[in-house]
Amino acid sequence: MNATHDSIKAFCRDNPAALAPAGEGALSGLRFAAKDVFEIAGTRTGFGQPQWLASHPPADTNADCIDRLLAAGGELVGRTISDELCYSLTGDNVHYGAPRNSWGLDRLSGGSSSGSAAAVCAGQVDFALGTDCGGSVRVPSSYCGLLGLRTTHGRVATRGLLRFASQFDCIGWFARDAHIFEQVGRVLLPAAREQGAFKRLLIATDAFDVVDTEVADAFAPALETLGAQTDEVQEIRLADDGLDRWFETFRIIQAADVWDALGDWVTQTRPTLGPGVRERIAQAARIDAAELRHAQAHRVEIIARLDRLIGEDDVVVLPTTPRPAPPRGASDAVLETTYRSQAMSLLCSAGLAGLPQMNLPLAMKDGLPLGLSIMTRRNGDMRLIELAGRVCPQAPVPPDLALA
């Protein structure tokens, strides 16, 4: 993507990259972008952090998933902005700015895959690669009104992906068109077996308890639409001991993993970090062994519980985020408490258990998208994608683009 034509500020200017298709296939004629955490041969990967960009050499090879997309006919047109070191969900990078959300230029696009979501939302590309550790595909797909998938942990090869928190890191992607989304899935999930339609919809009531009443009401039509796709609808509670406690367990394990990956570089480089990221990195440095052991033991219990709750033919539904995209200029305190912490209580279940979770742009509130998620057992990724295609063949188009 030519930086001079990047009106939404979604693409990297300091380390641009583009590659022609390497073959022909299901993605021929489609243009895509990749988050600034995927290695692209001959270029430097920036991790959303200028001192990281300056201190690391160019990549020798492409990330595995980029090679797969190119071989299937896709054209890589640019590298997109990431939140700093991927350690945020807002979509506002202190060094590179906030990619614009086409649903409202006064709104953030969400992070950390902010540029990828913004580029798809604006129609600059047909699909885009992102990554999801704590919610970095699911949150921006909710805020930007897109289809977005966090894949089963380990399901898509991560060779050539910068390490952040490897116990949770997953590759995902965004698209507005469900057919295109599925075609990308067929390329990145080539061995997916057909499993048929889901038979039971499980409504996670404790997740809906996290959101305000008017937000829950906005989801009602979408829940009816999803319920019509199954034989049975049942209410469940995901966390018998509270989603806030599950989030704390996730936070501890993620932080320890982040420090293991980045601690040496942070200590040696002493980078200038933005608000929020700076505090989370400092917290990561202080996780102790006993705290981590306790969290890991709790995680084992959580996985066992979700394995019991979610049957082979079940799909869980829950809000993706507690509210639409936050306004630009919101205070760090508001972003941390009202948006990030509440969102993480909704997002942590899939991360802790390694489950696939997909955002569906099926609701609106105050003229802004409001994402609803579907989640299922491990390796049910294509099953989620197929359900999404039945209930949401096209994501809504922002009004200004629809009039263009």
Side-chain angles (χ1 to χ4, degrees), residues 12-197:
C12 297
R13 293 170 178 257
D14 293 347
N15 57 333
L19 292 170
E24 295 184 1
L27 305 182
S28 291
L30 299 180
R31 293 154 51 90
F32 75 98
K35 181 180 180 178
D36 188 22
V37 294
F38 293 94
E39 292 186 344
I40 299 171
T43 69
R44 296 175 186 265
T45 313
F47 219 162
Q49 219 292 330
Q51 287 163 274
W52 181 280
L53 179 67
S55 61
H56 288 79
D60 294 326
T61 58
N62 297 328
D64 180 81
C65 58
I66 288 180
D67 277 338
R68 286 178 178 269
L69 297 172
L70 295 171
E75 177 189 1
L76 176 68
V77 300
R79 170 184 269 135
T80 52
I81 287 175
S82 165
D83 279 5
E84 187 175 18
L85 300 177
C86 290
Y87 219 170
S88 178
L89 290 176
T90 63
D92 191 358
N93 186 313
V94 70
H95 308 288
Y96 300 116
R100 295 173 180 169
N101 186 336
S102 295
W103 281 98
L105 299 184
D106 61 337
R107 298 283 171 163
L108 293 170
S109 56
S112 63
S113 306
S114 55
S116 289
V120 174
C121 185
Q124 292 187 324
V125 291
D126 298 296
F127 67 94
L129 285 175
T131 58
D132 191 305
C133 177
S136 293
V137 166
R138 290 165 288 169
V139 168
S141 59
S142 177
Y143 290 171
C144 292
L146 302 171
L147 296 165
L149 175 69
R150 171 201 168 84
T151 52
T152 298
H153 186 256
R155 185 67 183 80
V156 180
T158 55
R159 184 188 63 79
L161 172 67
L162 296 185
R163 180 185 167 199
F164 175 58
S166 57
Q167 291 189 61
F168 302 119
D169 289 340
C170 295
I171 291 170
W173 63 99
F174 306 90
R176 181 177 288 135
D177 181 285
H179 176 70
I180 291 174
F181 200 98
E182 182 173 347
Q183 291 300 102
V184 175
R186 298 291 176 192
V187 172
L188 295 181
L189 304 164
R193 61 185 180 88
E194 301 297 330
Q195 295 173 298

Side-chain angles (χ1 to χ4, degrees), residues 315-326:
V315 60
V316 180
V317 61
L318 66 162
T320 307
T321 56
R323 52 188 54 82

Side-chain angles (χ1 to χ4, degrees), residues 205-247:
T205 58
D206 49 344
F208 282 93
D209 288 344
V210 172
V211 306
D212 295 337
T213 301
E214 61 269 24
V215 172
D217 290 345
F219 288 128
L223 289 175
E224 290 188 14
T225 298
L226 286 166
Q229 295 290 321
T230 62
D231 299 330
E232 181 183 353
V233 177
Q234 181 178 330
E235 294 185 349
I236 62 165
R237 294 188 68 82
L238 290 172
D240 53 349
D241 51 352
L243 286 171
D244 53 349
R245 187 179 172 212
W246 284 24
F247 166 40

